[in-house]
Amino acid sequence: MNRVHFLFELLLRILGFHLVRSQIKNPGNPITLTYSVTSACQSRCKTCNIGRKYQEYPERRKKDLNLDEIHRIFRSLGHVYFFNISGGEPFLRGDLPDIIDLACKHLKPKIIHIPTNAIASEAIAGMTRRCLEIIRRHDPQLPLTVKPSIDGVGEVHDEIRGVKGNFRQLEKTIGHLKEIEREYDNFHLELGTVVSRFNIDYLSEIEDYVHSLGVQSYRNEIAENRTEFFNLQDDISPDPDTYERLIEEFSAKIRRNIKRKRQLTRLSEAIRLIYYDLAIKILKERRQVIPCYAGISNVHINYDGEVWPCCVLGYSKPMGSLRDEGYNFQKVWYSEQANRVRKYIKERNCACPLANQAYSNILCSPAYLLKGIKNLIVFSGRG
């Protein structure tokens, strides 16, 4: 019954987003919150300059929101469905479990997701366990996913991520998280790859390695130029035709293997197949293939309290500052500045294959959502 209630409530929220985009009603709460908990990162990735920026300006970390500030923001924000933690490297915050505790109290999400560069393997394992114990006190059924990044196997990974020995630490982290997955029914290990021009020749090797580990969930996203990454001038993305060829091969493997996956993984894989088709069209046509609901269905809070519609527009199109508005999310969310950003997106002035936003756009598009349901039924072999 709880699941039925959740789906019904989510459907009503999605219907409301259509009215918001048509400017018939004011936006309610977003369903997805991404929060970059810190500006700090040990990586020096070829596809992202956050780590380099932090190395050049270590004082940036002093601008991270503290727990009291986070408490006030979450309390003013209220219920969301999907809580994505981002960074920098999230596990560099020793109080990450406390942030999870505040999220469970005030945001009451239905899914929590944390990516990691997997460098600090012991700290990642320890904090993941602490997070799970906190979640267990609030809602034992609430899923937590931790996603280590894998951009190559062995030295290729270290070269792209910019840290010698990163792959060795990745293997340790995966081993720890697989052990945790055996202990906690609500914990999910996932691996993710950023597909760039630096690893397009190694994707099959990466995927074979992931499958050899017995990891059920594996996703990839195309490398993007984002204001968040300070990489707007960097040549990092593969050309659309090459990406299409690679993704067609990857999608075929998903369709063959989806029925062997757990229920939650099957659902995400079914939607992911739709995302890959969309990403190719967006890259080729350079337009919003389906309406984008960034700043309506989704919101991004940066480490310093600035509110963004998404991490791609980020610094170039902020919706306001929570520190300037007394940590009152609603004041920023309903501001004139936020409305101008929504208008900019609605007028299709931007187009990107950002996965996090694309999944919400799919949920908000009846035609594409039905395709996802069809994928789930057909490829999982269930009536």
Side-chain angles (χ1 to χ4, degrees):
M1 184 58 68
N2 286 339
R3 183 172 297 176
V4 172
H5 181 267
F6 159 64
L7 292 173
F8 181 72
E9 186 181 358
L10 183 60
L11 178 61
L12 288 179
R13 292 280 287 276
I14 289 170
L15 290 173
F17 294 150
H18 289 269
L19 299 178
V20 174
R21 200 168 187 277
S22 302
Q23 298 180 319
I24 295 174
K25 69 184 291 289
N26 289 326
N29 264 17
I31 58 173
T32 300
L33 167 64
T34 300
Y35 170 34
S36 295
V37 296
T38 183
S39 64
C41 187
Q42 321 98 306
S43 298
R44 302 292 180 266
C45 300
K46 289 185 174 182
T47 58
C48 171
N49 293 314
I50 288 178
R52 292 183 187 87
K53 183 70 71 171
Y54 176 69
Q55 187 178 36
E56 293 173 15
Y57 306 101
E59 65 273 13
R60 279 163 53 89
R61 192 168 185 173
K62 296 179 182 178
K63 297 181 180 180
D64 290 353
L65 294 166
N66 63 41
L67 280 178
D68 180 63
E69 292 175 304
I70 296 167
H71 184 197
R72 295 169 69 182
I73 291 166
F74 285 3
R75 188 172 56 193
S76 73
L77 202 164
H79 175 45
V80 300
Y81 292 89
F82 310 106
F83 180 43
N84 297 319
I85 291 177
S86 186
E89 166 54 33
F91 287 96
L92 285 178
R93 278 202 70 146
D95 59 358
L96 182 61
D98 298 311
I99 295 174
I100 295 292
D101 188 34
L102 290 173
C104 290
K105 285 179 181 176
H106 300 292
L107 304 179
K108 302 187 186 304
K110 300 300 181 184
I111 294 176
I112 300 176
H113 176 77
I114 312 174
T116 177
N117 60 23
I119 293 174
S121 57
E122 301 300 328
I124 292 166
M127 275 193 272
T128 298
R129 289 182 185 278
R130 287 169 57 198
C131 290
L132 284 163
E133 288 302 317
I134 287 168
I135 290 170
R136 176 177 281 178
R137 293 201 298 268
H138 289 279
D139 180 1
Q141 302 304 314
L142 173 60
L144 170 66
T145 298
V146 174
K147 185 184 75 173
S149 296
I150 176 168
D151 289 344
V153 177
E155 293 182 2
V156 174
H157 180 77
D158 291 358
E159 174 67 20
I160 294 173
R161 306 293 296 186
V163 175
K164 188 174 179 59
N166 193 161
F167 186 77
R168 184 169 60 252
Q169 292 304 113
L170 169 64
E171 290 185 307
K172 290 181 181 178
T173 301
I174 293 172
H176 289 319
L177 295 179
K178 286 182 69 177
E179 182 179 334
I180 293 172
E181 193 172 38
R182 288 190 289 268
E183 297 173 17
Y184 293 85
D185 291 340
N186 63 321
F187 178 70
H188 303 274
L189 167 62
E190 180 175 271
L191 294 178
T193 298
V194 176
V195 179
S196 68
R197 67 182 186 86
F198 309 111
N199 63 3
I200 55 175
D201 295 327
Y202 303 104
L203 292 185
S204 293
E205 181 184 10
I206 296 170
E207 189 177 3
D208 289 343
Y209 173 79
V210 171
H211 287 155
S212 74
L213 298 174
V215 176
Q216 286 209 358
S217 186
Y218 170 63
R219 70 170 72 180
N220 63 50
E221 302 175 23
I222 192 166
E224 293 181 87
N225 298 110
R226 306 180 186 175
T227 64
E228 177 196 29
F229 290 163
F230 307 102
N231 67 355
L232 295 182
Q233 307 306 316
D234 296 346
D235 181 18
I236 58 176
S237 304
D239 66 87
D241 289 335
T242 301
Y243 183 67
E244 181 177 22
R245 174 177 56 80
L246 294 169
I247 289 304
E248 283 178 351
E249 296 172 2
F250 191 73
S251 296
K253 291 180 180 178
I254 290 178
R255 288 191 288 269
R256 286 198 299 269
N257 296 317
I258 193 171
K259 62 184 177 183
R260 302 173 189 163
K261 306 294 180 70
R262 292 183 296 185
Q263 185 176 4
L264 181 62
T265 305
R266 285 202 304 268
L267 178 59
S268 62
E269 298 278 64
I271 298 297
R272 201 165 295 152
L273 288 170
I274 303 299
Y275 162 70
Y276 290 142
D277 288 341
L278 273 176
I280 292 167
K281 289 182 180 178
I282 292 169
L283 289 171
K284 285 190 167 186
E285 301 174 20
R286 297 183 180 275
R287 66 179 182 88
Q288 287 184 24
V289 176
I290 60 174
C292 181
Y293 288 82
I296 298 174
S297 66
N298 292 34
V299 69
H300 190 121
I301 296 177
N302 200 23
Y303 68 91
D304 59 358
E306 194 167 70
V307 178
W308 299 343
C310 66
C311 59
V312 175
L313 294 177
Y315 292 107
S316 67
K317 288 285 183 265
M319 304 176 85
S321 169
L322 289 161
R323 279 176 167 154
D324 291 346
E325 297 294 348
Y327 308 101
N328 188 327
F329 177 81
Q330 304 303 328
K331 288 185 70 173
V332 174
W333 194 235
Y334 290 102
S335 67
E336 284 303 313
Q337 185 175 343
N339 287 334
R340 285 194 294 271
V341 173
R342 293 186 187 100
K343 184 173 184 290
Y344 176 88
I345 297 169
K346 180 188 175 184
E347 292 175 349
R348 299 177 184 261
N349 291 301
C350 55
C352 74
L354 177 64
N356 180 31
Q357 183 60 55
Y359 297 142
S360 293
N361 294 343
I362 291 167
L363 290 175
C364 293
S365 170
Y368 280 90
L369 181 57
L370 286 173
K371 286 184 180 180
I373 295 171
K374 180 182 177 182
N375 283 343
L376 182 62
I377 293 171
V378 172
F379 298 119
S380 64
R382 290 172 176 265

